[in-house]
Amino acid sequence: MAERFRGYLPVVIDVETAGFNAKTDALLEIAAVTLTMDEQGYLIVDQSFVAEVTPFEGANLEQAALDFTGIDPFSPEREAISELEALELIFKPIRKAVKAHGCKRAILVGHNASFDQGFVNEAAARSDIKRNPFHPFSSFDTATLAGLAYGQTVLAKACDVAGIPFDGKQAHSALYDTEKTAELFCGIINRWKDLGGWDIVLDLQEHD
């Protein structure tokens, strides 16, 4: 795994938020899926983690965003925790996975990854977390990769072309979207391997 992505461990992230501005709008849910590699070198889903998040003090809550996700930020049924607690809940197993795979850092995988990365970075900064396991700005964007591999950039449509079942009723749940994004990412990476792309790269490296 460490050799496949230049020492980085891909970790799929999805967030649900109360708007589009990572600096001002509340982070409401965060989910992560770690990946591993089987004996044949195929990328597979490993573990999933999710946390409901309490809006930080002074956070903006856009009603249109809440209507879209269906999240009531202050519902007692959410069992929400602070940003600090949520990020540590997510980051701790990611750090363990990075170490277990001999990687130097995690790299965020997301569908429109810059959006998720922005909210993760801002929440980590607000929480004064010094050991953010993710690369601060590099990421893998499955919207771009799916556009290349399947001609689709919308998650549901890309999954459909890729033969991955997608339930629209469960969409916009951080955990569901993260798991589907993870399946999509693995499918694209593994398809490239089946087409001979990764083996060609290895052969070229061996002959350099």
Side-chain angles (χ1 to χ4, degrees), residues 10-131:
V11 177
V12 187
I13 293 286
D14 186 75
V15 299
E16 298 299 333
T17 68
F20 296 107
N21 190 325
K23 293 184 179 297
T24 60
D25 300 339
L27 172 65
L28 300 177
E29 289 182 4
I30 181 170
V33 171
T34 55
L35 306 177
T36 189
M37 192 174 278
D38 69 14
E39 294 179 357
Q40 286 72 45
Y42 287 99
L43 212 58
I44 56 175
V45 170
D46 188 11
Q47 294 181 290
S48 299
F49 309 92
V50 65
E52 305 276 354
V53 188
T54 302
F56 65 89
E57 186 175 352
N60 182 51
L61 301 170
E62 292 289 341
Q63 190 58 49
L66 300 180
D67 292 342
F68 181 72
T69 62
I71 297 173
D72 177 357
F74 304 107
S75 169
E77 296 179 3
R78 293 185 68 228
E79 299 182 355
I81 54 180
S82 70
E83 285 186 333
L84 175 60
E85 293 172 302
L87 289 182
E88 285 300 343
L89 180 72
I90 297 294
F91 285 176
K92 186 175 180 179
I94 292 173
R95 294 188 190 108
K96 288 181 65 176
V98 168
K99 184 176 181 180
H101 283 286
C103 293
K104 55 186 177 182
R105 206 159 193 178
I107 187 165
L108 188 146
V109 180
H111 203 76
N112 299 310
S114 61
F115 179 83
D116 303 283
Q117 189 171 49
F119 273 89
V120 170
N121 286 345
E122 287 296 332
R126 281 191 297 268
S127 302
D128 198 28
I129 293 176
K130 304 300 185 185
R131 293 181 58 233

Side-chain angles (χ1 to χ4, degrees), residues 132-146:
N132 184 337
F134 287 104
H135 191 287
F137 55 84
S138 293
S139 62
F140 292 134
D141 180 20
T142 52
T144 302
L145 292 171

